[in-house]
Amino acid sequence: MRDAGPSLPRNDPRQYDDLAGEWWRPDGAFAMLHWLARARAALVPPAARPGALLVDLGCGAGLLAPHLAGKGYRHVGVDLTRSALAQAVAHGMTAVNGDATAVPLADRCADVVAAGELLEHVPNWRAAVAEACRLLRPGGLLVLDTLNDTALCRLVAVHIAERLPTVPRGIHDPRLFVDDRELVAECARHGVDLRVRGIRPGVPGLLRWLVRQVRGGATPVDRAPHIVPARSTALLYQGRGVRGG
Ligand SMILES: C[S@@+](CC[C@H](N)C(=O)[O-])C[C@H]1O[C@@H](n2cnc3c(N)ncnc32)[C@H](O)[C@@H]1O
């Protein structure tokens, strides 16, 4: 079982330094982040103007970058973890080492703000949402995904997932999970009309992936599980919203 950092508290960002070699391994500790990045990028339309800016809050090692290729954005990533940002730069992004709750970028600079699997790691997620909305131009798009603050999510994402061989122990602090209705209300307070939907890995692809994991085989990138809509937002959910004028 992989340990993100046995001596570190849950959700300590230094865990990402210990796991730096995992980011770009499609079957590694962050495998599901690759699947989610593809699903998040699918929510982002091609840039509507030359020089359009996409700000990727909590970008990690830039897993979103390949899925945005050809869409016409300048891709700027903001993250606390320098070891992850170095890899994001190697994938063509511009890196800003900083906190998503105090981003050193101008108001209304972004055509798109992405926050993939970030909010459930931020002790003050409302401040990160306020920053995301502040950065957006009127008409700009917010795309995000996160874990819900439910008993089911705590059971699955922490107590079950952390027993699986590929999931890092201690990477999540369930006290930080984000209630979807509170998130929608917070976005509305900052002028963004967020719509959320539950998501999950598609079952056939997930089963094939698990079998390959057990057999020790590698997953070709085009055979990775697809993220599909789920009936409920109770576990993992995606949000998409536009900032009003
Ligand atoms: C689960 S990873 C997600 C990375 C990336 N968005 C992806 O989906 O591949 C969470 C990332 O958020 C970063 N992070 C956590 N708290 C943060 C904060 N307050 N400000 C900026 N980045 C933060 C971590 O360093 C880590 O890279």
Side-chain angles (χ1 to χ4, degrees), residues 182-240:
E182 289 184 30
L183 177 58
V184 168
E186 193 64 28
C187 286
R189 268 193 280 282
H190 295 284
V192 172
D193 176 24
L194 191 78
R195 308 291 163 99
V196 297
R197 65 171 182 176
I199 52 173
R200 60 174 175 78
V203 172
L206 182 62
L207 289 177
R208 281 194 299 269
W209 183 80
L210 287 169
V211 168
R212 275 193 297 266
Q213 289 283 297
V214 171
R215 290 183 179 159
T219 306
V221 174
D222 59 341
R223 302 298 304 276
H226 282 268
I227 295 294
V228 300
R231 281 203 192 133
S232 159
T233 56
L235 227 167
L236 178 61
Y237 63 97
Q238 213 177 35
R240 185 183 190 282

Side-chain angles (χ1 to χ4, degrees), residues 39-87:
R40 191 179 318 121
L43 300 179
V44 178
R49 62 184 190 95
L53 177 66
L54 184 147
V55 177
D56 191 351
L57 298 178
C59 64
L63 304 189
L64 193 59
H67 304 289
L68 293 173
K71 291 199 177 186
Y73 293 95
R74 285 183 294 137
H75 188 179
V76 172
V78 180
D79 205 286
L80 288 178
T81 305
R82 287 179 193 275
S83 58
L85 285 173
Q87 298 182 50

